[in-house]
Amino acid sequence: MVLRTIANKVGTFEVNGNAVSYLQPLSTFNTQEMDLIQKWYREKVHSLQGYPQVVPAKDINFQSGQVCYAYDVTSYKSFNTLKTMYLEEKMPYYLSLIELAKNKEITLLWNTQNLMVDEETQTVKVLVIDHKAFDIDNDKSDLITLKELIVITLTNLEQVYGRPKRSDFFEQNEEVIQFAEMIYLHLNSLDHMKEYIEAMNREVNERKQSEHEELEKQLANKRRNPLFKYLPFLLPQTKKINRLDIDQTNRIQSQNKTASPHKQKDNNKRFLIGTVAIIIFAILLNFTLTNVNKNALSKEQPLSSTSSKKSMETLYLQGLLGQKEKLMDTLDEKEYDSLSKDQKSLLTQLWVEHGEYKKLLEQDGKAISQITEYLTNQNQLKELDRLQEIVKVENPHIIFAKGVLAKDWDVIINNRNLVELTEERKTYIVKALLQKGEVETAKGFVSDKASEDDGLMDTVLIAEKNVVELKALQEQQALLQKTIDESTDQEKVTEAEQELNVVKKEITNLAQTTGL
């Protein structure tokens, strides 16, 4: 399975097992000659030979109007591996991230897909870097990006949109929370961040060393003290053994050994009888207390609660058995205001499914949003017309729903600010904007109304990338056509015609996938 991620505005990471590719349209490079791109990349990598945090590409080639960097990451793990580690284990990786950010020789693409974890050296390594033919455009400063990356490794977040909640953290102890707050809110330079993390790392190492020395000390005591051979369970205890207690124990044991056989036998009998009596008593006591608790609970529980519970069980059973109309009638017989929250929700769902729109709208005028979304999903255009007759006046939710079913992109766009913005409606709006070629408007809409929906933003970025690629292919098409029209070299003309057919197919395919 290939995973794709947008990066550098118009680039794409493709991850397929241990193979990672980065593709970007040739038109966005500082030269259109592949030989120069490969040459300048090799020169850049050669200049960084003494810098082990850069992973060189194993190949650079041209694919459908794009330059493709191919990497073998067999020896490394994804950046999200850091999420599985404890805070103290992450410190060396954070320090290596800071070293990447402070390196003035490279501009790296700050993207989690571009960062690899090397557990052997406890460092973070980078794949895509800049060179003479290739510029990298990062939206944020290295400091801000680094802060967000550290927060991402500490939480279940994939993007940081402000201060994270405690529930977002994998480790929710005070040490981790304070560390995150210090990094994200208070440290304002890479040097300060490095000093803070180095101090934390030293503290961790000193604590580990102290714990190791304490363990060695305990093991040495065990080897030196013969008492531990007979009482191994005392090893974990830190309490010192009183010599008087040991002497007293030895004296009692000695007395027991010198006791007569008959006396020992009597003691054993008494011990067995006493043990059996205690067990029987414990069983009887447990049985008695259990019955008392059950009786007390049954007396304290109101009869109305029991009957209510049985009533709800009956209702839900009717629903499960497919008797939805009977279930709806049963709930309809009751006063709407007397129904519980769950019962109201259930009745609302049943009214929508059975076309009882008037009943529902009489109780909740805002329910038209829920009704129209349901009818849109069910492709019920006639029911939308019937709903319009019921409400009598024009309603933007109904107009929007009809626009979706008719794929009338203008209607969807014109009503986007007049309807409740559910997740489904946001998707329809973005689709409409992209179909009309309004990529920038779609991008602004997602940023404003769905900033936390990474999937929707990726869709817009893919469409933006497709537009750039389409433009590059169209330029290539024009050059090939010029060669065909003007060249007197028949071999070149034939080659250009063959390539032109391929480019035309790619343009057709790409044009079809510009929208959702």
Side-chain angles (χ1 to χ4, degrees):
M1 180 180 177
V2 179
L3 302 176
R4 292 181 174 84
T5 306
I6 302 299
N8 204 29
K9 293 188 176 179
V10 293
T12 307
F13 276 103
E14 294 186 352
V15 181
N16 187 6
N18 291 324
V20 175
S21 299
Y22 177 75
L23 300 97
Q24 184 157 315
L26 177 63
S27 60
T28 62
F29 281 71
N30 298 331
T31 178
Q32 307 302 300
E33 298 180 30
M34 278 300 299
D35 290 342
L36 273 179
I37 292 173
Q38 293 168 339
K39 177 177 178 291
W40 288 340
Y41 178 77
R42 283 195 299 269
E43 288 176 354
K44 182 64 177 251
V45 171
H46 182 74
S47 70
L48 297 169
Q49 279 188 345
Y51 193 68
Q53 283 186 264
V54 175
V55 179
K58 69 173 185 178
D59 186 32
I60 302 177
N61 54 65
F62 182 75
Q63 293 182 11
S64 304
Q66 297 190 92
V67 177
C68 175
Y69 294 79
Y71 299 88
D72 180 7
V73 294
T74 306
S75 304
Y76 312 116
K77 293 188 177 180
S78 72
F79 185 76
N80 280 340
T81 301
L82 295 178
K83 288 177 177 284
T84 66
M85 299 181 185
Y86 291 107
L87 174 61
E88 60 185 36
E89 298 173 310
K90 299 174 186 179
M91 296 298 177
Y93 298 97
Y94 292 158
L95 290 172
S96 71
L97 272 174
I98 294 172
E99 289 304 312
L100 277 173
K102 292 182 71 174
N103 191 327
K104 303 300 181 184
E105 299 297 318
I106 58 172
T107 300
L108 61 96
L109 184 57
W110 288 113
N111 185 290
T112 54
Q113 298 295 343
N114 193 40
L115 300 171
M116 293 285 124
V117 169
D118 186 345
E119 291 185 317
E120 185 177 346
T121 60
Q122 291 188 305
T123 57
V124 176
K125 297 191 173 184
V126 63
L127 302 179
V128 179
I129 58 172
D130 71 316
H131 54 86
K132 193 185 291 188
F134 174 64
D135 296 326
I136 287 177
D137 186 9
N138 289 311
D139 295 332
K140 301 173 184 176
S141 69
D142 290 344
L143 178 65
I144 297 298
T145 305
L146 203 55
K147 287 183 175 187
E148 292 183 355
L149 285 172
I150 290 175
V151 170
I152 285 171
T153 64
L154 295 169
T155 62
N156 55 21
L157 304 174
E158 293 300 329
Q159 297 286 337
V160 180
Y161 301 102
R163 186 174 179 174
K165 303 187 292 292
R166 180 180 285 268
S167 59
D168 294 328
F169 286 84
F170 295 119
E171 297 177 81
Q172 297 179 10
N173 58 62
E174 286 304 319
E175 182 184 12
V176 175
I177 303 298
Q178 289 173 9
F179 174 82
E181 286 183 350
M182 180 62 73
I183 292 290
Y184 192 67
L185 300 175
H186 303 300
L187 299 178
N188 295 318
S189 74
L190 292 174
D191 289 330
H192 290 160
M193 193 182 294
K194 181 179 179 181
E195 289 171 6
Y196 176 67
I197 295 175
E198 282 179 337
M200 289 276 296
N201 198 36
R202 279 196 302 272
E203 185 180 330
V204 168
N205 290 335
E206 287 170 3
R207 186 172 70 245
K208 285 182 178 180
Q209 181 64 27
S210 177
E211 290 172 355
H212 178 72
E213 289 174 356
E214 181 63 27
L215 181 60
E216 287 290 332
K217 192 175 179 181
Q218 287 183 358
L219 291 173
N221 287 337
K222 180 179 178 181
R223 289 191 294 268
R224 193 163 53 246
N225 193 340
L227 180 64
F228 284 93
K229 295 179 182 179
Y230 304 103
L231 299 174
F233 52 85
L234 291 176
L235 179 60
Q237 299 179 359
T238 56
K239 183 180 176 181
K240 290 185 179 179
I241 299 172
N242 191 320
R243 183 68 202 174
L244 183 61
D245 292 340
I246 295 174
D247 292 339
Q248 187 175 357
T249 302
N250 290 338
R251 187 165 60 252
I252 291 169
Q253 289 176 347
S254 177
Q255 289 174 358
N256 287 337
K257 284 179 182 178
T258 56
S260 66
H262 293 291
K263 189 171 182 180
Q264 289 180 7
K265 190 173 182 181
D266 291 340
N267 287 340
N268 290 339
K269 285 182 179 178
R270 290 195 189 102
F271 174 77
L272 288 171
I273 293 169
T275 302
V276 171
I278 289 170
I279 292 171
I280 293 171
F281 177 76
I283 293 170
L284 291 172
L285 181 63
N286 182 60
F287 180 79
T288 304
L289 290 174
T290 302
N291 284 336
V292 169
N293 287 334
K294 284 182 178 179
N295 292 334
L297 285 171
S298 63
K299 289 177 181 178
E300 290 174 5
Q301 187 174 14
L303 185 61
S304 60
S305 173
T306 305
S307 60
S308 174
K309 184 178 179 182
K310 286 182 178 178
S311 175
M312 281 302 297
E313 287 175 353
T314 303
L315 289 175
Y316 285 117
L317 184 59
Q318 288 174 351
L320 289 171
L321 294 175
Q323 302 175 25
K324 289 190 176 183
E325 290 186 13
K326 186 175 181 181
L327 174 59
M328 184 173 64
D329 293 340
T330 304
L331 290 171
D332 258 341
E333 290 171 359
K334 300 183 179 183
E335 288 290 332
Y336 184 81
D337 292 336
S338 68
L339 297 175
S340 68
K341 185 178 179 181
D342 289 339
Q343 289 174 328
K344 286 179 180 178
S345 177
L346 182 59
L347 183 56
T348 296
Q349 181 184 338
L350 292 169
W351 274 342
V352 172
E353 290 180 5
H354 288 81
E356 299 288 350
Y357 313 132
K358 189 173 182 179
K359 285 184 180 180
L360 177 54
L361 292 171
E362 285 173 355
Q363 300 297 336
D364 182 7
K366 294 180 180 179
I368 195 163
S369 173
Q370 180 181 348
I371 297 170
T372 51
E373 189 161 80
Y374 174 80
L375 295 177
T376 303
N377 292 336
Q378 299 298 315
N379 198 23
Q380 294 285 343
L381 182 59
K382 289 184 179 179
E383 285 296 293
L384 284 169
D385 290 335
R386 189 167 76 85
L387 178 63
Q388 181 64 68
E389 292 175 4
I390 292 171
V391 298
K392 296 179 181 178
V393 296
E394 283 191 349
N395 186 283
H397 287 89
I398 299 175
I399 297 171
F400 185 95
K402 288 183 176 181
V404 171
L405 296 182
K407 294 184 178 180
D408 191 331
W409 312 124
D410 289 325
V411 168
I412 295 170
I413 292 169
N414 293 337
N415 287 274
R416 68 182 185 274
N417 295 321
L418 304 175
V419 295
E420 181 188 3
L421 291 178
T422 62
E423 296 303 314
E424 288 189 12
R425 290 196 181 103
K426 289 175 187 176
T427 303
Y428 290 133
I429 291 166
V430 170
K431 179 175 182 177
L433 289 169
L434 295 180
Q435 290 289 346
K436 297 294 289 186
E438 299 182 29
V439 178
E440 286 302 317
T441 306
K443 198 173 181 180
F445 175 81
V446 175
S447 298
D448 186 35
K449 304 295 185 182
S451 59
E452 296 187 7
D453 192 334
D454 294 337
L456 208 52
M457 181 55 82
D458 281 348
T459 299
V460 175
L461 292 174
I462 288 170
E464 185 179 41
K465 173 176 171 289
N466 286 346
V467 169
V468 175
E469 288 182 21
L470 190 60
K471 184 179 178 182
L473 287 170
Q474 287 169 342
E475 290 174 357
Q476 188 180 1
Q477 181 184 20
L479 289 173
L480 290 170
Q481 189 63 53
K482 185 178 180 181
T483 302
I484 294 169
D485 294 339
E486 298 178 1
S487 178
T488 56
D489 188 334
Q490 188 58 41
E491 187 176 342
K492 282 187 177 180
V493 170
T494 303
E495 185 180 342
E497 287 174 341
Q498 291 174 347
E499 192 173 346
L500 182 61
N501 290 331
V502 174
V503 170
K504 283 181 177 179
K505 287 180 181 178
E506 290 177 355
I507 288 174
T508 302
N509 294 335
L510 199 56
Q512 291 173 349
T513 57
T514 300
L516 288 176

